[in-house]
Amino acid sequence: MKALSEDDIRSSFVNATHGEIQRIPLPGLHEVIWQDREYLGWRDHGAPLRGYLVHWAEDLPVGVVLRASGVRMRSGISAMCSLCRTPQPSDQVTMFSAARAGRAGREGNTVGTYICSDLACSIIIRITPPKLPMQPDPAELVARRSAGLLQRVNGFTADIMRPA
Ligand SMILES: [Zn+2]
């Protein structure tokens, strides 16, 4: 993805009030390897149920504030992130809800989905099996996963912004 500046991020949130946006702690942007990411996602260490996701929708940064469900999924089963579609142990996937943008969100209307708990889909989709004959080429596999992830992230935030 194209790099995001602090201003890009602060101006991107579609489902939070001005006051809430000012209080969002930003991650260390100088450490981000932008070319290996489809979106920037991070959890809030000061408010453990909160998470943030920012991506580029065409040329516009779009950010959403997420709230993790406090309810844990049963352990020992496998779950799937709806954005990167990586099957994982259920404790690594969390149900997040996002308030809808605008009036619908202020009235309590939310969109919920399962996402990697650490909001690091971009890292997990780049883990590939070793290159072997008869197996898909790892670079091709990552490109395909990346395209799918981008499309689903766009769909997720478009849903949040859609007038209810
Ligand atoms: Zn994921």
Side-chain angles (χ1 to χ4, degrees), residues 39 80-86 88 93 114-122 124-125 149:
Y39 70 83
M80 190 184 280
C81 167
S82 66
L83 298 182
C84 66
R85 301 252 169 105
T86 310
Q88 301 174 74
V93 176
Y114 288 97
I115 310 178
C116 291
S117 304
D118 55 4
L119 299 168
C121 299
S122 293
I124 203 162
I125 65 164
L149 172 56

Short mmCIF file of all heavy atoms in Angstrom, two decimals, residues 39 80-86 88 93 114-122 124-125 149, ligand 1:
data_model
loop_
_atom_site.label_atom_id
_atom_site.label_comp_id
_atom_site.label_asym_id
_atom_site.label_seq_id
_atom_site.Cartn_x
_atom_site.Cartn_y
_atom_site.Cartn_z
N TYR A 39 -3.48 -3.12 4.38
CA TYR A 39 -4.09 -2.11 5.26
C TYR A 39 -3.20 -2.00 6.48
O TYR A 39 -2.39 -2.89 6.77
CB TYR A 39 -5.53 -2.48 5.64
CG TYR A 39 -5.68 -3.66 6.59
CD1 TYR A 39 -5.55 -3.50 7.96
CD2 TYR A 39 -5.95 -4.94 6.11
CE1 TYR A 39 -5.69 -4.58 8.84
CE2 TYR A 39 -6.09 -6.02 6.97
CZ TYR A 39 -5.96 -5.83 8.34
OH TYR A 39 -6.09 -6.89 9.19
N MET A 80 -11.96 -18.63 10.97
CA MET A 80 -11.41 -18.00 9.79
C MET A 80 -11.66 -16.50 9.81
O MET A 80 -12.76 -16.05 10.10
CB MET A 80 -12.03 -18.62 8.53
CG MET A 80 -11.32 -18.17 7.27
SD MET A 80 -12.11 -18.77 5.78
CE MET A 80 -11.50 -20.44 5.75
N CYS A 81 -10.61 -15.75 9.53
CA CYS A 81 -10.73 -14.30 9.39
C CYS A 81 -11.50 -14.02 8.10
O CYS A 81 -11.20 -14.59 7.06
CB CYS A 81 -9.33 -13.69 9.34
SG CYS A 81 -9.28 -11.97 8.81
N SER A 82 -12.48 -13.13 8.19
CA SER A 82 -13.30 -12.86 7.00
C SER A 82 -12.58 -11.96 6.00
O SER A 82 -13.01 -11.84 4.87
CB SER A 82 -14.62 -12.22 7.41
OG SER A 82 -14.36 -10.95 7.95
N LEU A 83 -11.49 -11.33 6.41
CA LEU A 83 -10.77 -10.44 5.48
C LEU A 83 -9.69 -11.19 4.71
O LEU A 83 -9.63 -11.14 3.50
CB LEU A 83 -10.18 -9.25 6.23
CG LEU A 83 -11.20 -8.33 6.92
CD1 LEU A 83 -10.48 -7.16 7.60
CD2 LEU A 83 -12.24 -7.81 5.94
N CYS A 84 -8.82 -11.93 5.44
CA CYS A 84 -7.74 -12.63 4.73
C CYS A 84 -8.09 -14.10 4.46
O CYS A 84 -7.37 -14.77 3.72
CB CYS A 84 -6.42 -12.53 5.50
SG CYS A 84 -6.41 -13.37 7.10
N ARG A 85 -9.19 -14.59 5.08
CA ARG A 85 -9.64 -15.97 4.87
C ARG A 85 -8.61 -17.01 5.27
O ARG A 85 -8.56 -18.09 4.69
CB ARG A 85 -10.05 -16.19 3.41
CG ARG A 85 -11.16 -15.28 2.94
CD ARG A 85 -12.46 -16.03 2.78
NE ARG A 85 -13.59 -15.14 2.58
CZ ARG A 85 -14.19 -14.94 1.40
NH1 ARG A 85 -13.75 -15.56 0.34
NH2 ARG A 85 -15.23 -14.15 1.32
N THR A 86 -7.77 -16.68 6.24
CA THR A 86 -6.79 -17.65 6.73
C THR A 86 -7.42 -18.45 7.87
O THR A 86 -7.85 -17.85 8.85
CB THR A 86 -5.53 -16.93 7.26
OG1 THR A 86 -5.10 -16.00 6.28
CG2 THR A 86 -4.42 -17.91 7.56
N GLN A 88 -7.40 -20.40 11.20
CA GLN A 88 -6.47 -20.31 12.33
C GLN A 88 -7.13 -20.86 13.57
O GLN A 88 -8.34 -21.00 13.62
CB GLN A 88 -6.15 -18.84 12.62
CG GLN A 88 -5.54 -18.11 11.47
CD GLN A 88 -5.39 -16.64 11.82
OE1 GLN A 88 -4.52 -16.30 12.59
NE2 GLN A 88 -6.25 -15.82 11.28
N VAL A 93 -8.58 -15.33 16.21
CA VAL A 93 -9.57 -14.61 15.41
C VAL A 93 -10.59 -14.02 16.38
O VAL A 93 -10.99 -14.68 17.33
CB VAL A 93 -10.25 -15.56 14.40
CG1 VAL A 93 -11.34 -14.85 13.62
CG2 VAL A 93 -9.22 -16.15 13.44
N TYR A 114 -15.57 -11.29 11.68
CA TYR A 114 -14.41 -11.93 12.31
C TYR A 114 -13.15 -11.48 11.59
O TYR A 114 -13.07 -11.53 10.36
CB TYR A 114 -14.53 -13.45 12.23
CG TYR A 114 -15.57 -14.01 13.15
CD1 TYR A 114 -16.85 -14.29 12.69
CD2 TYR A 114 -15.28 -14.22 14.50
CE1 TYR A 114 -17.83 -14.78 13.55
CE2 TYR A 114 -16.25 -14.70 15.36
CZ TYR A 114 -17.52 -14.98 14.89
OH TYR A 114 -18.48 -15.45 15.75
N ILE A 115 -12.16 -11.01 12.37
CA ILE A 115 -10.89 -10.55 11.79
C ILE A 115 -9.76 -11.10 12.67
O ILE A 115 -9.95 -11.33 13.87
CB ILE A 115 -10.81 -9.00 11.76
CG1 ILE A 115 -12.07 -8.38 11.15
CG2 ILE A 115 -9.56 -8.54 11.00
CD1 ILE A 115 -12.09 -6.85 11.13
N CYS A 116 -8.59 -11.28 12.07
CA CYS A 116 -7.40 -11.69 12.83
C CYS A 116 -7.29 -10.78 14.06
O CYS A 116 -7.33 -9.55 13.93
CB CYS A 116 -6.14 -11.54 11.99
SG CYS A 116 -6.03 -12.71 10.63
N SER A 117 -7.12 -11.38 15.25
CA SER A 117 -7.13 -10.61 16.50
C SER A 117 -6.11 -9.48 16.51
O SER A 117 -6.35 -8.42 17.07
CB SER A 117 -6.85 -11.53 17.68
OG SER A 117 -7.77 -12.59 17.70
N ASP A 118 -4.95 -9.72 15.91
CA ASP A 118 -3.89 -8.71 15.92
C ASP A 118 -3.99 -7.74 14.74
O ASP A 118 -3.13 -6.88 14.57
CB ASP A 118 -2.51 -9.38 15.95
CG ASP A 118 -2.33 -10.36 14.79
OD1 ASP A 118 -3.23 -10.47 13.93
OD2 ASP A 118 -1.27 -11.02 14.76
N LEU A 119 -5.04 -7.88 13.92
CA LEU A 119 -5.25 -7.03 12.75
C LEU A 119 -4.01 -7.00 11.85
O LEU A 119 -3.62 -5.96 11.32
CB LEU A 119 -5.65 -5.61 13.18
CG LEU A 119 -6.95 -5.55 13.99
CD1 LEU A 119 -7.15 -4.18 14.63
CD2 LEU A 119 -8.15 -5.89 13.12
N ALA A 120 -3.39 -8.15 11.73
CA ALA A 120 -2.16 -8.26 10.93
C ALA A 120 -2.34 -9.28 9.80
O ALA A 120 -1.48 -10.11 9.55
CB ALA A 120 -0.98 -8.64 11.82
N CYS A 121 -3.46 -9.20 9.09
CA CYS A 121 -3.72 -10.10 7.96
C CYS A 121 -2.56 -10.07 6.97
O CYS A 121 -2.21 -11.09 6.38
CB CYS A 121 -4.98 -9.70 7.22
SG CYS A 121 -6.49 -9.72 8.18
N SER A 122 -1.97 -8.88 6.76
CA SER A 122 -0.93 -8.74 5.76
C SER A 122 0.29 -9.61 6.07
O SER A 122 1.00 -10.04 5.16
CB SER A 122 -0.48 -7.28 5.65
OG SER A 122 -1.53 -6.50 5.14
N ILE A 124 0.16 -12.55 7.91
CA ILE A 124 -0.19 -13.98 7.83
C ILE A 124 -0.36 -14.45 6.38
O ILE A 124 -0.01 -15.58 6.05
CB ILE A 124 -1.43 -14.28 8.71
CG1 ILE A 124 -1.44 -15.76 9.08
CG2 ILE A 124 -2.73 -13.89 8.07
CD1 ILE A 124 -2.32 -16.09 10.24
N ILE A 125 -0.83 -13.57 5.50
CA ILE A 125 -1.00 -14.04 4.11
C ILE A 125 0.34 -14.18 3.39
O ILE A 125 0.42 -14.77 2.32
CB ILE A 125 -1.92 -13.12 3.26
CG1 ILE A 125 -1.31 -11.74 3.06
CG2 ILE A 125 -3.32 -13.05 3.82
CD1 ILE A 125 -1.98 -10.95 1.92
N LEU A 149 -7.65 -10.03 -0.22
CA LEU A 149 -7.71 -9.26 1.03
C LEU A 149 -8.09 -7.81 0.74
O LEU A 149 -8.96 -7.24 1.39
CB LEU A 149 -6.34 -9.35 1.75
CG LEU A 149 -6.15 -8.47 2.98
CD1 LEU A 149 -7.22 -8.71 4.04
CD2 LEU A 149 -4.75 -8.71 3.59
ZN ZN B 1 -6.97 -11.87 8.71
#
